[in-house]
Amino acid sequence: MPKVMIITPPSGIYCREDRCQSKSEDIHTLVRRPPLNMMYLVSLAKKAKADYIARDYSDKYDVWAEMEKDVSNYQPDYVFLDVTTPSLKMDLKSAALIKKVSPKSVAIGRGAHFTIYDKQALLDYPDLDIVLRNEYEFAAREIMSGVSWEKILGITYRKEGQIIRNESRPPMDLDEIPFPDKDWLDVTKFIRPDTGQPQTIIRIGEGCPYECVYCLAGVVNGNKIRLRSPQNVIDEIKENVSKYGITDFLFRSDGFTYNNKWVLDFCNKIKQEGLNITWACNARVKSCNLATLKTMKEAGCWAIGIGIESGSQDSLDKMKKGFVLDEAVEFIKLVKLSKIKAFTYFVIGFPWETHKHILDTINFAVKVDGDLAQFSPIYPYPGTELYKMVLEAGLIKEGEFSPNALAEPVIGTQYLSVDELKRYFKLANRTFYLRLGYIIRTLLHSGGFKNSLNYCKHGVKLLKEAVKFSPSRKR
């Protein structure tokens, strides 16, 4: 029986979803999410009948000695490392440590970074043995099951001094993947901020047909949306309710509202099963109508994240969002009419952006007046069109990756410095959140005294950063 160790390295708290790799501990509007990739790897280890241990070191600091001791004591055959581009150097420090205390262990990296830089990663990090490209689950299971490496699709590995890149693996049938395992996890560490109740994430689908220049969804998972069957998702929800007592969910999919029939079937099944749950999801502007939104509300949807990204039509066109600002205004009106909270997301600092672009975005966020607004700086992930843009503009060097992804601006634009972007970032939060009407409305609709206290707690963290804003000189 192979011994498998599954690790999130002690590199800090990052969101490790491939399309959203960010240092989440520094983003006060971003909910800490459970380690979904680790949970899937644990369930795959069980399917492979492997002996395993799972260790999430991400919320600890300077615990390399603890990790070293765990690896040394266990002497695993395989060690899976959950890796992001921003935390790459720190994450792969783990591979060297593993080889130091358990030389025969095979160190395996998982992450979107390896879909683009698979061979380069193996060259740069000689203690890394295998990297998993694109969708990793079945390749990981085959490694755990002892399948010969040359027969495993979707991996790149070293053999006798050579780096070998196997053929890519075709997109998976998502219903065939076992549900993510939480038996080893303290689920109470991952909560919904307003209620303080445990919350987990459920993967609904993969792939995206749109061509936004900054996004990795199509790069990693392809340009065709693939959704799990409604019943398969319902079965996972029921397991979470009965086994772990979790009734709050984040449904993760770039195309959750892409297929209207799927959404209605899914919501009707929730109601037919009598599931008393609440959930949030993402939705693209103009992706569904009022009737569908009302059905979602009846099935427990309490919040929708809407990626507007910019209040400048020029920026929207250049990032290939595929809608106009008036359509964003109308869609948010529909979400509010359905009595679902509208969480709006904006990105600041595209290479072409000027002062006007950013001020237009701040003003538009106030105009549409969502229940939450998250302002994020750009982060040019390798493999995206945006990455090519910033390279060509000379804003970064090839292979240069900051660890502070989405937490603060790390590159300027062709017209604005990093320091100017930092000031605008604070101005955006200050302008949106320090409106008396917004504060009163948020507290009145918080859902009770306890929830109001939670809103205040998180609001204070956000405003401590926002009030530090010092305006740039007049131009």
Side-chain angles (χ1 to χ4, degrees):
M1 179 184 294
K3 297 170 70 175
V4 174
M5 191 169 188
I6 299 160
I7 289 175
T8 298
S11 309
I13 299 173
Y14 282 78
C15 177
R16 293 177 181 265
E17 296 170 23
D18 289 341
R19 63 173 293 280
C20 184
Q21 305 166 57
S22 57
K23 194 175 182 181
S24 54
E25 61 190 309
D26 294 331
I27 305 176
H28 301 307
T29 51
L30 185 64
V31 176
R32 186 182 177 194
R33 300 177 180 183
L36 187 62
N37 296 312
M38 287 190 70
M39 296 189 295
Y40 272 118
L41 287 167
V42 168
S43 67
L44 292 162
K46 288 185 174 181
K47 285 288 184 181
K49 302 187 185 309
D51 187 67
Y52 74 92
I53 60 173
R55 296 286 185 269
D56 182 359
Y57 300 102
S58 64
D59 58 353
K60 304 176 183 180
Y61 286 91
D62 199 25
V63 293
W64 297 99
E66 178 183 336
M67 181 178 162
E68 180 176 339
K69 180 180 178 182
D70 290 343
V71 175
S72 180
N73 289 341
Y74 189 58
Q75 292 292 304
D77 297 301
Y78 304 106
V79 183
F80 287 84
L81 302 169
D82 200 9
V83 176
T84 76
T85 295
S87 58
L88 181 74
K89 289 183 179 180
M90 287 293 286
D91 289 343
L92 292 183
K93 177 182 174 182
S94 303
L97 182 149
I98 290 161
K99 293 295 187 180
K100 173 186 171 185
V101 298
S102 184
K104 294 183 179 180
S105 294
V106 175
I108 304 159
R110 187 230 68 85
H113 188 88
F114 304 123
T115 295
I116 310 301
Y117 286 124
D118 53 336
K119 290 186 176 181
Q120 191 62 49
L122 290 168
L123 286 171
D124 291 344
Y125 298 93
D127 294 305
L128 192 61
D129 297 299
I130 305 175
V131 296
L132 310 176
R133 308 190 315 269
N134 299 99
E135 294 171 353
Y136 63 90
E137 287 86 351
F138 292 162
R141 184 176 65 187
E142 290 171 8
I143 290 171
M144 296 176 191
S145 300
V147 175
S148 178
W149 295 358
E150 59 263 26
K151 296 180 180 179
I152 301 176
L153 299 178
I155 70 170
T156 307
Y157 61 97
R158 64 177 79 250
K159 180 180 180 181
E160 298 176 355
Q162 300 295 312
I163 293 176
I164 300 171
R165 191 178 202 269
N166 289 357
E167 290 185 21
S168 296
R169 184 176 291 271
M172 302 178 298
D173 179 346
L174 300 176
D175 279 7
E176 293 183 6
I177 303 171
F179 299 156
D181 187 281
K182 301 180 183 68
D183 289 348
W184 60 279
L185 189 68
D186 180 2
V187 298
T188 63
K189 290 166 60 175
F190 308 95
I191 63 170
R192 185 173 138 181
D194 57 333
T195 65
Q197 296 300 309
Q199 177 177 254
T200 197
I201 186 167
I202 289 184
R203 172 198 206 177
I204 299 295
E206 298 290 4
C208 182
Y210 303 104
E211 298 179 339
C212 304
V213 301
Y214 54 84
C215 188
L216 275 169
V219 176
V220 177
N221 302 112
N223 297 115
K224 181 179 179 181
I225 288 181
R226 290 165 290 127
L227 299 170
R228 296 166 61 184
S229 66
Q231 188 59 53
N232 186 253
V233 180
I234 292 293
D235 290 343
E236 183 177 343
I237 292 171
K238 290 166 71 174
E239 178 180 276
N240 275 280
V241 173
S242 62
K243 192 172 183 180
Y244 305 110
I246 298 173
T247 58
D248 283 289
F249 300 92
L250 291 173
F251 292 152
R252 195 201 81 183
S253 173
D254 294 295
F256 184 85
T257 54
Y258 183 79
N259 183 327
N260 190 68
K261 181 180 182 302
W262 187 97
V263 174
L264 294 175
D265 287 349
F266 176 62
C267 290
N268 287 331
K269 283 184 179 293
I270 289 176
K271 292 188 284 185
Q272 291 166 7
E273 294 277 356
L275 292 170
N276 185 22
I277 62 172
T278 55
W279 49 275
C281 66
N282 291 333
R284 182 178 169 84
V285 166
K286 67 177 183 180
S287 63
C288 54
N289 57 30
L290 182 59
T292 298
L293 289 166
K294 287 183 175 180
T295 301
M296 291 166 63
K297 173 66 176 179
E298 292 168 0
C301 181
W302 73 278
I304 293 178
I306 306 157
I308 300 172
E309 319 308 1
S310 180
S312 162
Q313 190 62 52
D314 179 57
S315 273
L316 288 181
D317 293 343
K318 286 177 177 174
M319 70 177 82
K320 303 181 181 179
K321 282 300 290 185
F323 60 79
V324 298
L325 290 170
D326 286 346
E327 290 172 324
V329 172
E330 291 305 310
F331 185 69
I332 290 171
K333 285 180 181 177
L334 293 181
V335 173
K336 291 181 177 181
L337 280 173
S338 68
K339 302 190 184 305
I340 296 173
K341 291 187 181 296
F343 289 0
T344 54
Y345 296 90
F346 299 91
V347 183
I348 290 173
F350 286 94
W352 59 80
E353 289 198 316
T354 64
H355 296 280
K356 186 179 185 305
H357 287 101
I358 295 173
L359 290 174
D360 285 348
T361 293
I362 295 171
N363 292 332
F364 189 76
V366 172
K367 176 183 176 179
V368 298
D369 197 24
D371 296 282
L372 175 146
Q374 179 176 308
F375 300 94
S376 302
I378 69 160
Y379 192 90
Y381 296 109
T384 63
E385 190 174 342
L386 177 62
Y387 187 69
K388 296 176 184 177
M389 289 179 178
V390 297
L391 281 176
E392 290 171 1
L395 297 171
I396 63 169
K397 297 177 181 178
E398 179 79 34
E400 185 177 70
F401 310 117
S402 169
N404 293 323
L406 304 186
E408 64 177 12
V410 295
I411 61 172
T413 77
Q414 291 172 301
Y415 308 99
L416 301 169
S417 69
V418 170
D419 285 342
E420 286 175 308
L421 288 177
K422 287 180 179 179
R423 290 195 289 267
Y424 273 124
F425 184 60
K426 295 176 189 297
L427 174 62
N429 284 312
R430 185 183 180 188
T431 302
F432 186 87
Y433 287 105
L434 284 181
R435 296 175 292 145
L436 181 60
Y438 171 81
I439 294 169
I440 293 172
R441 183 188 79 200
T442 300
L443 294 177
L444 287 176
H445 294 90
S446 63
F449 180 71
K450 181 180 177 181
N451 289 11
S452 295
L453 289 179
N454 287 330
Y455 271 106
C456 289
K457 173 184 172 183
H458 289 277
V460 166
K461 291 180 181 178
L462 180 68
L463 295 176
K464 278 182 179 178
E465 293 299 315
V467 296
K468 293 178 183 177
F469 167 73
S470 55
S472 58
R473 70 182 191 276
K474 293 182 180 180
R475 296 178 179 268

